[in-house]
Amino acid sequence: MNLLYSDVEDDLRTAVRDVLADRCPPEAVLGRIESELPYDTGLWKLLAAELGLAGLLVPEHLGGQGASAREAAVVLEELGSAVAPVPFLGSAVLATSALLGCDTADGTVAALLARLAAGEATAALAVPLSGAPGAPFPGSVTADSEGRLTGRVTSVADAFAADVLVVPAGGPQGPGLYEVAAADAAVERFSSLDLTRPLSDVTFEAAPARLLPAADPAAALDGALLTTAGLLASEQVGVAQWCLDETVGHLKQRHQFGRVVGGFQSLKHRLADLWLEVVSARAAARAAADALAAGDHLEAALAVHVAQATASSTAVHAAEEAIQLHGGIGMTWEHPAHLRLKRAKADELALGTPARHRAALSPLVDLPPA
Amino acid sequence: MAESHPTPGKDPDASEVRRRVAELLAAYDPARVPREKFLRARFDAGLAWVHFPEGLGGLGAPRALQAVVDAELAAAGAPDNDPRRIGIGLGMAAPTILRYGTEEQKRRFLRPLWTGEEVWCQLFSEPGAGSDLAGLRTRAVREPDSGDWIVDGQKVWTSSAHLARWAILIARTDPDVPKHQGITYFLCDMTDPGVEVRPLRQITGEAEFNEVFLTGVRIPDAHRLGAIGDGWRVAQATLMNERVAIGGMALPREGGMIGPLAAAWRERPELRTPELHDRVLSAWVAAEVVRLSAERVRQQMAAGAPGPEGSGLKLAFARLNQHVSGLEVELMGEEGLRYGDWTMVRPESVDFYGRDAGYRYLRAKGNSIEGGTSEILRNIIAERVLGLPAEPRTDKDVAWKDLPR
């Protein structure tokens, strides 16, 4: 188990951070969130194609970078820190992982992965963002005998940016994953708590679809949810670290009662506790990324549940502390702290709540219910 | 300062270390040679602590090679030096003597310290000086004729004092300068007639620690460690080692306080409730995350890039132990109303996880006090890691004797 960052991972972080510093400053994020173009497509093209982030998890022989969950985790730390409005999690992690669980020797699957990896297309997996690994295969969409899909999936992340939807649906031969052109579905973006990760309700009315060959579609879906839940912990660490750094920086600047506010012991102790929380969440998130990269399913599941049960609460607590310790300015729309609180709170519900991940841990660590 | 360095030009590797172990075992068959004789021979072969310099029980080798030595010797059935019994000597006195001692002090003290022939204790805390250790009032006054130091005062929370032959001691040698500048570090003979050790009965009923009364204790100047007035700096080396020792232990999954709680949950279905289930799982997650955090710090240290995370380990450790042991008593239900034994005994070593749930709960209360309180550790993190302003000080430039008390 390696809980540190390799030199390659450090270089990747620097590259992503430089692009975000240049292209994704707080005022740009704030300016975009209420517009008709919630995603920064120019930034996404740059990250996806030029930096190759869209294909990080895709093997080289399928046109990707052949990297692992460890590298994707580093990218998510940076994207979380900047709350960058790009569909990396939905497309390059969630949808891509589902496709990697299908039969990648099949031409359809391989071609779709190659397009995603090259940044030529963006995909979304049609599941509610609140869906968790371990849940039953969804039944809200069904395929008819001609392979057309009908049904509705709510709260789908990054569907608004997607060209392609990967849709879990019940069909004549049982559960399957289907490829649907986004243009053939009704994608309705709604007003979401987290403004930097737009959500949509997606409706299919006899939408033309192609069944993606997979030995075990349910396992492919569940594996994608597990991987994404584990990597979400690194995004949460990125959010939490930003909140801690900004708050410490603010409290070193601000004077009240003739003193630097950060010198008051009650605040110093709160920040020391928060620092410890972030350090701990980082260790848990690194363990999850490392276990996902190593590929032992049981160890990975255990590490993901531990990381999600930890980092979700850490990000929320860090964002709440950031708001409180910034005082009045933390309540304003102008200051970017609220974007992290909204991201952190939405992330707490995403891919399983902490309580749900603890419950999932129960059989893995032999602590049975009452 | 007489600091020791590994012998230059040599860097023993694992095979060299194995060769030396084989030589030791060939010359001293652990099945026949008495324990003490074997341990002395092991020290002289440089296999006691391989990262120490040659001639002082080591080889000037990387610290990681010690695991090779320990495994080979354990496999051969060789006796060890019972490290739990001599933890203060190994973990605190030895690194400080190595760093600040004279050649003569190192040669005199380190060998019997390591073999356990001489047990050490630490005379630092006082009834009036805990977190503010530098405010200590135990006096050491130099006798003009002999040059010896005469020590008077009271120390407290001294583990192993009733077993100890020697103590590391800090005392005030100059009350006329600010408190940090007037302290000197000594090696104190615990058999001096002026040393009186009384057990200090604690919250668990037993006396793991002692009070030590020092009345006219005579210490030759040759047993001073470091320069006169430099004791505070020397003591920092001791205290840093103490914090690493308490928070940084490597544990397997479910090692530590969570082990008994998880075992009770598995073995006693009648204790389970749905509400407790989520809390037990939360505790399990918290324990696993503390374990991972400690592992990450160890990996950083091994990679030569020790991060600031180390200062948080003990804080996390104390909080976890208190939380988990409290939950365990609650889980026990009616049984939690019983306590194993309040009899006053004097155990020879520290035990955080032993006995029963009630003992563990009460003993864990000390974890956030001993070796630096959690409040002091939060100050350290805030100031040294996060760079926030230091606490306002009114005692830094005032002579110790003029401080209000």
Side-chain angles (χ1 to χ4, degrees):
Chain A
M1 178 172 57
N2 176 3
L3 301 174
L4 306 179
Y5 298 99
S6 70
D7 291 343
V8 174
E9 289 159 8
D10 282 337
D11 291 347
L12 177 63
R13 179 195 303 283
T14 306
V16 175
R17 186 176 284 182
D18 287 350
V19 169
L20 293 175
D22 188 33
R23 299 286 298 265
C24 193
E27 54 280 11
V29 178
L30 269 174
R32 182 172 294 283
I33 50 177
E34 290 182 293
S35 76
E36 284 309 300
L37 297 167
Y39 290 99
D40 187 339
T41 46
L43 174 64
W44 174 232
K45 265 267 173 286
L46 183 58
L47 294 171
E50 286 183 38
L51 261 63
L53 302 190
L56 267 189
L57 294 177
V58 178
E60 284 177 271
H61 73 272
L62 294 169
Q65 306 292 320
S68 75
R70 292 179 54 94
E71 289 82 6
V74 171
V75 171
L76 277 166
E77 283 182 31
E78 294 305 312
L79 295 178
S81 173
V83 287
V86 292
F88 179 82
L89 189 82
S91 182
V93 179
L94 186 53
T96 296
S97 298
L99 289 169
L100 288 169
C102 296
D103 179 6
T104 56
D106 174 80
T108 312
V109 175
L112 183 49
L113 276 168
R115 283 174 62 214
L116 296 183
E120 293 165 15
T122 297
L125 182 69
V127 292
L129 182 60
S130 53
F137 196 85
S140 70
V141 180
T142 49
D144 63 23
S145 55
E146 286 157 60
R148 286 180 305 217
L149 300 191
T150 299
R152 182 174 162 85
V153 188
T154 50
S155 312
V156 180
D158 295 338
F160 192 72
D163 311 295
V164 178
L165 299 171
V166 178
V167 188
Q173 275 88 50
L177 295 176
Y178 292 81
E179 176 188 352
V180 178
D184 290 329
V187 177
E188 300 160 81
R189 178 160 71 100
F190 59 84
S191 170
S192 50
L193 172 66
D194 173 10
L195 293 129
T196 54
R197 178 169 284 142
L199 302 180
S200 304
D201 295 330
V202 182
T203 310
F204 304 93
E205 287 179 38
R210 184 149 51 174
L211 179 65
L212 297 164
D216 187 345
L221 176 64
D222 205 56
L225 292 169
L226 186 74
T227 297
T228 310
L231 291 179
L232 185 69
S234 287
E235 175 178 302
Q236 290 161 327
V237 168
V239 172
Q241 186 73 54
W242 184 93
C243 293
L244 175 64
D245 293 345
E246 283 294 312
T247 307
V248 169
H250 176 70
L251 293 189
K252 281 181 188 172
Q253 304 277 328
R254 184 162 171 89
H255 285 70
Q256 293 282 278
F257 306 103
R259 288 172 60 183
V260 175
V261 174
F264 287 102
Q265 197 174 47
S266 65
L267 305 189
K268 285 165 71 176
H269 284 196
R270 274 170 81 159
L271 288 170
D273 282 335
L274 186 59
W275 171 85
L276 183 58
E277 236 185 288
V278 176
V279 164
S280 307
R282 185 180 298 280
R286 279 323 273 163
D290 191 68
L292 286 165
D296 176 327
H297 183 77
L298 270 184
E299 267 302 307
L302 191 152
V304 167
H305 295 314
V306 167
Q308 268 300 301
T310 304
S312 284
S313 322
T314 300
V316 170
H317 185 218
E320 290 175 349
E321 289 291 78
I323 302 285
Q324 173 65 21
L325 298 181
H326 273 81
I329 193 174
M331 277 300 285
T332 65
W333 188 266
E334 185 186 359
H335 193 278
H338 68 98
L339 296 179
R340 273 71 183 188
L341 178 65
K342 292 160 188 172
R343 169 62 67 85
K345 198 64 190 170
D347 274 1
E348 189 182 39
L349 303 175
L351 298 148
T353 58
R356 189 163 180 146
H357 283 283
R358 285 194 294 272
L361 205 52
S362 159
L364 301 182
V365 300
D366 186 25
L367 292 171
Chain B
M1 179 177 76
E3 194 162 347
S4 291
H5 293 286
T7 317
K10 258 188 163 180
D11 197 7
D13 57 11
S15 62
E16 166 68 7
V17 163
R18 283 202 180 85
R19 190 186 63 73
R20 284 177 182 257
V21 171
E23 262 180 26
L24 172 71
L25 290 168
Y28 299 86
D29 179 357
R32 295 176 191 207
V33 174
R35 178 175 179 276
E36 204 164 87
K37 191 172 173 189
F38 182 86
L39 291 173
R40 287 178 186 169
R42 177 176 166 185
F43 185 93
D44 294 339
L47 298 170
W49 31 34
V50 295
H51 61 288
F52 270 49
E54 276 190 79
L56 296 173
L59 300 169
R63 194 188 282 257
L65 287 180
Q66 190 63 44
V68 176
V69 174
D70 294 347
E72 297 262 321
L73 287 173
D80 71 9
N81 60 346
D82 195 1
R84 278 165 54 89
R85 191 173 151 267
I86 55 172
I88 305 278
L90 293 174
M92 294 165 217
T96 315
I97 292 172
L98 177 68
R99 183 155 172 200
Y100 289 102
T102 61
E103 281 309 310
E104 200 184 332
Q105 288 169 342
K106 288 186 249 187
R107 300 209 175 275
R108 162 63 187 85
F109 291 114
L110 289 176
R111 190 175 186 247
L113 180 158
W114 185 85
T115 61
E117 288 163 72
E118 292 181 347
V119 173
W120 285 70
C121 66
Q122 173 184 313
L123 297 175
F124 278 26
S125 294
E126 298 181 3
S131 287
D132 184 15
L133 182 62
L136 60 88
R137 55 202 315 177
T138 291
R139 287 295 312 274
V141 178
R142 195 142 192 202
E143 197 176 62
D145 296 344
S146 63
D148 291 349
W149 297 87
I150 308 300
V151 181
D152 289 278
Q154 185 190 344
K155 296 289 182 176
V156 74
W157 295 116
T158 314
S159 48
S160 306
H162 54 301
L163 309 168
R165 173 71 177 77
W166 294 96
I168 45 179
L169 163 74
I170 47 177
R172 185 154 310 279
T173 45
D174 187 353
D176 297 324
V177 294
K179 62 181 184 179
H180 292 95
Q181 296 164 30
I183 296 170
T184 303
Y185 201 118
F186 297 98
L187 309 176
C188 174
D189 183 346
M190 291 294 284
T191 64
D192 186 287
V195 175
E196 188 198 345
V197 176
R198 293 185 205 159
L200 177 59
R201 198 174 184 200
Q202 69 202 43
I203 191 169
T204 54
E206 61 196 351
E208 205 183 298
F209 301 93
N210 300 277
E211 292 179 291
V212 178
F213 296 84
L214 306 165
T215 312
V217 174
R218 179 174 295 271
I219 298 181
D221 192 52
H223 288 176
R224 167 168 53 80
L225 194 69
I228 296 171
D230 206 25
W232 183 249
R233 193 162 65 95
V234 180
Q236 292 311 304
T238 311
L239 296 172
M240 254 170 12
N241 281 296
E242 183 176 24
R243 273 166 214 159
V244 173
I246 293 180
M249 287 174 285
L251 292 173
R253 189 175 277 161
E254 280 195 23
M257 204 67 96
I258 193 67
L261 174 66
W265 183 267
R266 287 182 194 121
E267 291 156 18
R268 309 273 304 272
E270 75 279 10
L271 299 176
R272 298 176 195 161
T273 69
E275 188 268 344
L276 279 169
H277 187 226
D278 190 50
R279 290 169 62 201
V280 168
L281 288 166
S282 287
W284 196 96
V285 168
E288 175 68 358
V289 172
V290 168
R291 187 184 77 82
L292 291 169
S293 304
E295 175 60 26
R296 186 154 196 271
V297 169
R298 272 191 301 281
Q299 290 183 4
Q300 285 173 322
M301 288 168 73
E309 280 86 347
S311 22
L313 286 183
K314 188 185 166 285
L315 187 55
F317 171 84
R319 190 155 54 191
L320 177 73
N321 282 353
Q322 293 174 352
H323 171 71
V324 172
S325 59
L327 179 56
E328 192 191 353
V329 173
E330 192 184 338
L331 172 68
M332 288 296 134
E334 187 186 336
E335 211 175 298
L337 296 171
R338 299 168 191 256
Y339 188 82
D341 188 2
W342 294 114
T343 308
M344 154 65 191
V345 289
R346 300 177 87 177
E348 290 210 350
S349 60
V350 178
D351 192 357
F352 291 160
Y353 308 129
R355 293 179 52 175
D356 52 28
Y359 169 83
R360 288 190 279 278
Y361 171 68
L362 294 172
R363 181 61 186 83
K365 293 293 163 235
N367 291 164
S368 53
I369 302 169
E370 55 204 334
T373 65
S374 290
E375 288 69 27
I376 289 290
L377 292 178
R378 285 188 185 96
N379 277 356
I380 290 173
I381 292 167
E383 293 170 19
R384 298 193 202 157
V385 180
L386 300 178
L388 292 165
E391 289 303 300
R393 300 293 295 257
T394 53
D395 56 355
K396 262 200 158 150
D397 303 313
V398 180
W400 175 82
K401 65 175 168 38
D402 297 328
L403 290 175
R405 55 176 66 85

